[in-house]
Amino acid sequence: ADRNVFMWEWNGETLLGACHADVALFSPSGPGIYAECLRRIRARFEITGGEELLSKFCGYQFRFEGRSQTIEMHQEEFSRAVLVKYGAEYLKPLDTPMEVGLPPFEPWDKTASDRGTLEFAMYMEDLMWLTRGSPLLSFAAQDLAQFIHNSGPLHVAAPRRMLAHVRQNPGRGLVFHGSDAVLNAVSPIATRRLLCATVGFPTQGARRCRAC
Protein backbone atom coordinates (compact mmCIF):
# COMPACT_ATOMS: atom_id res chain seq x y z
CA ALA A 1 0.00 0.00 0.00
CA ASP A 2 1.11 3.55 -0.75
CA ARG A 3 1.19 5.57 2.47
CA ASN A 4 0.81 8.76 0.42
CA VAL A 5 -2.68 7.67 -0.68
CA PHE A 6 -5.36 7.28 1.98
CA MET A 7 -9.07 7.00 2.73
CA TRP A 8 -10.58 8.55 5.85
CA GLU A 9 -14.11 8.00 7.19
CA TRP A 10 -15.75 10.46 9.58
CA ASN A 11 -19.41 10.89 10.60
CA GLY A 12 -20.62 8.67 7.78
CA GLU A 13 -18.65 10.56 5.13
CA THR A 14 -15.55 9.49 3.24
CA LEU A 15 -12.52 11.45 2.04
CA LEU A 16 -9.95 10.15 -0.43
CA GLY A 17 -6.55 11.85 -0.34
CA ALA A 18 -3.13 11.79 -1.97
CA CYS A 19 0.06 13.65 -1.04
CA HIS A 20 3.04 14.53 -3.22
CA ALA A 21 5.83 16.60 -1.63
CA ASP A 22 3.99 19.57 -0.11
CA VAL A 23 0.86 19.22 -2.28
CA ALA A 24 -2.28 17.42 -1.08
CA LEU A 25 -5.14 16.27 -3.30
CA PHE A 26 -8.55 15.67 -1.72
CA SER A 27 -11.82 14.16 -2.91
CA PRO A 28 -14.49 14.50 -0.18
CA SER A 29 -17.93 12.89 -0.32
CA GLY A 30 -19.38 15.94 1.42
CA PRO A 31 -18.50 19.38 2.79
CA GLY A 32 -18.50 18.29 6.42
CA ILE A 33 -15.62 15.85 6.24
CA TYR A 34 -13.60 18.21 4.07
CA ALA A 35 -14.00 21.07 6.55
CA GLU A 36 -12.99 18.75 9.40
CA CYS A 37 -9.97 17.51 7.45
CA LEU A 38 -8.77 21.06 6.82
CA ARG A 39 -9.39 22.01 10.45
CA ARG A 40 -7.16 19.18 11.66
CA ILE A 41 -4.41 19.96 9.15
CA ARG A 42 -4.47 23.69 9.97
CA ALA A 43 -3.99 22.83 13.63
CA ARG A 44 -0.44 21.71 12.79
CA PHE A 45 0.41 23.16 9.39
CA GLU A 46 -0.15 26.20 7.22
CA ILE A 47 -2.28 25.69 4.09
CA THR A 48 -2.48 27.56 0.80
CA GLY A 49 -5.49 26.90 -1.41
CA GLY A 50 -7.84 23.98 -0.96
CA GLU A 51 -11.04 25.58 -2.26
CA GLU A 52 -10.52 25.55 -6.02
CA LEU A 53 -11.29 22.60 -8.25
CA LEU A 54 -8.18 20.83 -9.45
CA SER A 55 -6.87 21.80 -12.89
CA LYS A 56 -3.30 20.44 -12.82
CA PHE A 57 -1.51 17.91 -10.66
CA CYS A 58 1.91 16.29 -11.15
CA GLY A 59 1.96 17.07 -14.87
CA TYR A 60 -1.62 15.96 -15.52
CA GLN A 61 -4.58 18.18 -16.38
CA PHE A 62 -8.22 17.71 -15.46
CA ARG A 63 -11.60 18.65 -16.96
CA PHE A 64 -14.86 18.46 -15.04
CA GLU A 65 -18.30 18.03 -16.56
CA GLY A 66 -21.03 18.40 -13.96
CA ARG A 67 -23.96 17.40 -16.15
CA SER A 68 -22.48 14.07 -17.20
CA GLN A 69 -20.61 13.65 -13.89
CA THR A 70 -17.25 13.00 -15.52
CA ILE A 71 -13.65 13.87 -14.77
CA GLU A 72 -11.21 13.68 -17.68
CA MET A 73 -7.48 13.37 -16.97
CA HIS A 74 -5.43 14.51 -19.96
CA GLN A 75 -2.01 15.84 -21.02
CA GLU A 76 -2.94 18.41 -23.64
CA GLU A 77 -0.26 20.95 -22.74
CA PHE A 78 2.47 18.32 -22.75
CA SER A 79 1.13 16.74 -25.97
CA ARG A 80 1.27 20.06 -27.82
CA ALA A 81 4.75 20.76 -26.44
CA VAL A 82 5.98 17.38 -27.72
CA LEU A 83 4.48 18.04 -31.15
CA VAL A 84 6.32 21.36 -31.35
CA LYS A 85 9.55 19.87 -29.98
CA TYR A 86 9.72 17.31 -32.79
CA GLY A 87 8.31 19.54 -35.53
CA ALA A 88 5.11 17.50 -35.76
CA GLU A 89 2.48 20.17 -35.13
CA TYR A 90 1.48 20.17 -38.81
CA LEU A 91 1.51 16.42 -39.47
CA LYS A 92 -1.60 14.96 -41.06
CA PRO A 93 -3.63 13.45 -38.19
CA LEU A 94 -3.91 9.65 -38.26
CA ASP A 95 -6.38 7.29 -36.58
CA THR A 96 -3.85 4.73 -35.33
CA PRO A 97 -0.36 5.08 -33.77
CA MET A 98 0.93 2.15 -35.86
CA GLU A 99 0.23 1.13 -39.43
CA VAL A 100 -2.30 -1.70 -39.53
CA GLY A 101 -0.76 -4.94 -40.78
CA LEU A 102 2.82 -3.72 -40.35
CA PRO A 103 5.22 -6.62 -39.61
CA PRO A 104 7.00 -6.58 -36.24
CA PHE A 105 10.09 -4.41 -35.94
CA GLU A 106 13.37 -6.27 -36.21
CA PRO A 107 16.70 -5.44 -34.53
CA TRP A 108 19.04 -3.27 -36.60
CA ASP A 109 22.05 -5.19 -37.95
CA LYS A 110 24.31 -2.14 -37.62
CA THR A 111 25.45 -0.08 -34.65
CA ALA A 112 23.86 3.23 -33.69
CA SER A 113 26.05 6.09 -32.54
CA ASP A 114 26.09 7.14 -28.90
CA ARG A 115 24.41 10.42 -29.83
CA GLY A 116 21.76 8.64 -31.89
CA THR A 117 21.06 6.25 -29.04
CA LEU A 118 20.69 9.12 -26.56
CA GLU A 119 18.40 11.13 -28.84
CA PHE A 120 16.17 8.12 -29.52
CA ALA A 121 16.01 7.33 -25.80
CA MET A 122 14.90 10.90 -25.06
CA TYR A 123 12.36 10.68 -27.89
CA MET A 124 10.93 7.48 -26.43
CA GLU A 125 10.87 8.97 -22.94
CA ASP A 126 8.53 11.71 -24.14
CA LEU A 127 6.29 9.19 -25.91
CA MET A 128 6.20 6.85 -22.91
CA TRP A 129 5.06 9.75 -20.73
CA LEU A 130 2.24 10.43 -23.20
CA THR A 131 0.94 6.88 -22.71
CA ARG A 132 -0.16 7.87 -19.20
CA GLY A 133 -3.10 9.75 -20.68
CA SER A 134 -3.40 7.91 -23.99
CA PRO A 135 -3.31 4.12 -23.58
CA LEU A 136 -3.67 3.68 -27.35
CA LEU A 137 0.00 4.68 -27.61
CA SER A 138 1.15 2.06 -25.13
CA PHE A 139 1.73 -0.92 -27.43
CA ALA A 140 3.54 1.13 -30.08
CA ALA A 141 5.72 2.89 -27.51
CA GLN A 142 6.64 -0.29 -25.68
CA ASP A 143 7.33 -2.11 -28.95
CA LEU A 144 9.79 0.58 -30.01
CA ALA A 145 11.31 0.95 -26.55
CA GLN A 146 12.98 -2.46 -26.81
CA PHE A 147 15.28 -1.02 -29.50
CA ILE A 148 16.50 1.97 -27.47
CA HIS A 149 19.96 0.44 -27.05
CA ASN A 150 20.48 0.19 -30.83
CA SER A 151 17.89 2.03 -32.89
CA GLY A 152 17.98 1.93 -36.66
CA PRO A 153 16.41 4.22 -39.29
CA LEU A 154 13.07 2.36 -39.24
CA HIS A 155 12.86 2.61 -35.46
CA VAL A 156 13.69 6.32 -35.49
CA ALA A 157 11.10 7.03 -38.19
CA ALA A 158 8.26 5.09 -36.53
CA PRO A 159 7.47 7.63 -33.76
CA ARG A 160 6.41 10.15 -36.41
CA ARG A 161 3.26 8.11 -36.95
CA MET A 162 2.65 8.07 -33.21
CA LEU A 163 2.92 11.85 -33.17
CA ALA A 164 0.49 12.04 -36.09
CA HIS A 165 -1.94 10.06 -33.97
CA VAL A 166 -1.42 12.47 -31.05
CA ARG A 167 -1.99 15.32 -33.50
CA GLN A 168 -5.50 14.00 -34.17
CA ASN A 169 -6.62 14.93 -30.67
CA PRO A 170 -3.91 16.30 -28.32
CA GLY A 171 -6.43 16.79 -25.54
CA ARG A 172 -7.78 13.26 -25.47
CA GLY A 173 -7.50 11.63 -22.06
CA LEU A 174 -8.96 9.13 -19.62
CA VAL A 175 -12.57 9.73 -18.60
CA PHE A 176 -13.81 8.70 -15.17
CA HIS A 177 -17.60 8.50 -15.15
CA GLY A 178 -19.75 9.15 -12.11
CA SER A 179 -22.99 7.75 -13.47
CA ASP A 180 -24.51 4.83 -11.58
CA ALA A 181 -24.69 3.00 -14.89
CA VAL A 182 -21.15 3.66 -16.12
CA LEU A 183 -18.02 2.69 -14.19
CA ASN A 184 -19.37 3.98 -10.90
CA ALA A 185 -18.10 1.00 -8.95
CA VAL A 186 -14.67 1.40 -10.51
CA SER A 187 -14.39 5.15 -10.16
CA PRO A 188 -16.42 6.55 -7.23
CA ILE A 189 -14.03 9.53 -7.16
CA ALA A 190 -15.71 10.94 -10.27
CA THR A 191 -18.89 11.81 -8.38
CA ARG A 192 -16.97 14.11 -6.06
CA ARG A 193 -14.95 17.30 -6.13
CA LEU A 194 -11.20 17.19 -6.59
CA LEU A 195 -9.47 19.97 -4.67
CA CYS A 196 -5.83 20.87 -4.27
CA ALA A 197 -4.01 22.47 -1.34
CA THR A 198 -0.39 23.19 -0.50
CA VAL A 199 0.78 22.28 2.99
CA GLY A 200 3.92 23.73 4.62
CA PHE A 201 5.53 23.67 8.02
CA PRO A 202 4.63 26.82 10.04
CA THR A 203 8.28 27.74 10.51
CA GLN A 204 8.88 27.68 6.74
CA GLY A 205 5.60 29.11 5.56
CA ALA A 206 3.32 27.56 3.01
CA ARG A 207 4.54 27.29 -0.54
CA ARG A 208 2.09 27.34 -3.42
CA CYS A 209 2.86 24.61 -5.94
CA ARG A 210 2.79 25.45 -9.64
CA ALA A 211 0.79 22.26 -10.24
CA CYS A 212 -2.15 23.86 -8.43
Side-chain angles (χ1 to χ4, degrees):
D2 189 342
R3 290 181 295 176
N4 293 326
V5 179
F6 62 91
M7 180 176 70
W8 179 46
E9 295 181 348
W10 179 80
N11 280 2
E13 295 184 292
T14 303
L15 181 141
L16 303 179
C19 300
H20 175 73
D22 62 348
V23 180
L25 181 66
F26 301 106
S27 177
S29 61
I33 192 171
Y34 186 61
E36 178 64 15
C37 176
L38 292 185
R39 185 191 69 79
R40 296 189 184 196
I41 295 176
R42 286 194 176 105
R44 300 185 61 183
F45 303 98
E46 293 183 2
I47 299 179
T48 302
E51 302 301 328
E52 66 274 13
L53 282 174
L54 182 72
S55 59
K56 296 181 183 179
F57 188 74
C58 292
Y60 299 104
Q61 296 171 262
F62 297 85
R63 297 190 190 97
F64 296 84
E65 176 51 59
R67 185 173 182 180
S68 59
Q69 294 187 336
T70 61
I71 297 174
E72 183 176 9
M73 183 183 78
H74 63 97
Q75 298 171 285
E76 183 169 2
E77 286 186 4
F78 182 70
S79 296
R80 294 190 181 280
V82 169
L83 291 173
V84 172
K85 179 178 179 179
Y86 295 105
E89 64 268 41
Y90 300 112
L91 286 178
K92 179 181 178 181
L94 296 174
D95 292 333
T96 60
M98 296 182 72
E99 185 178 346
V100 178
L102 189 72
F105 288 106
E106 297 289 343
W108 194 34
D109 58 1
K110 298 181 181 179
T111 303
S113 66
D114 290 342
R115 181 178 181 83
T117 299
L118 176 61
E119 290 180 349
F120 187 70
M122 294 173 64
Y123 201 165
M124 291 308 305
E125 181 182 20
D126 287 336
L127 292 175
M128 291 297 290
W129 181 250
L130 283 176
T131 66
R132 305 290 185 99
S134 183
L136 291 176
L137 296 174
S138 295
F139 179 81
Q142 292 175 18
D143 190 34
L144 282 172
Q146 63 183 315
F147 304 105
I148 283 179
H149 66 285
N150 191 41
S151 54
L154 292 179
H155 307 133
V156 174
R160 296 291 291 179
R161 182 176 181 101
M162 296 175 63
L163 293 178
H165 177 65
V166 173
R167 170 82 170 79
Q168 185 185 50
N169 187 357
R172 177 167 42 198
L174 301 175
V175 178
F176 300 90
H177 207 292
S179 167
D180 290 337
V182 185
L183 297 181
N184 190 45
V186 179
S187 183
I189 196 172
T191 64
R192 306 170 180 173
R193 302 177 70 207
L194 279 172
L195 305 109
C196 190
T198 303
V199 181
F201 292 104
T203 56
Q204 296 176 338
R207 301 187 304 277
R208 185 166 185 80
C209 179
R210 289 178 297 174
C212 295

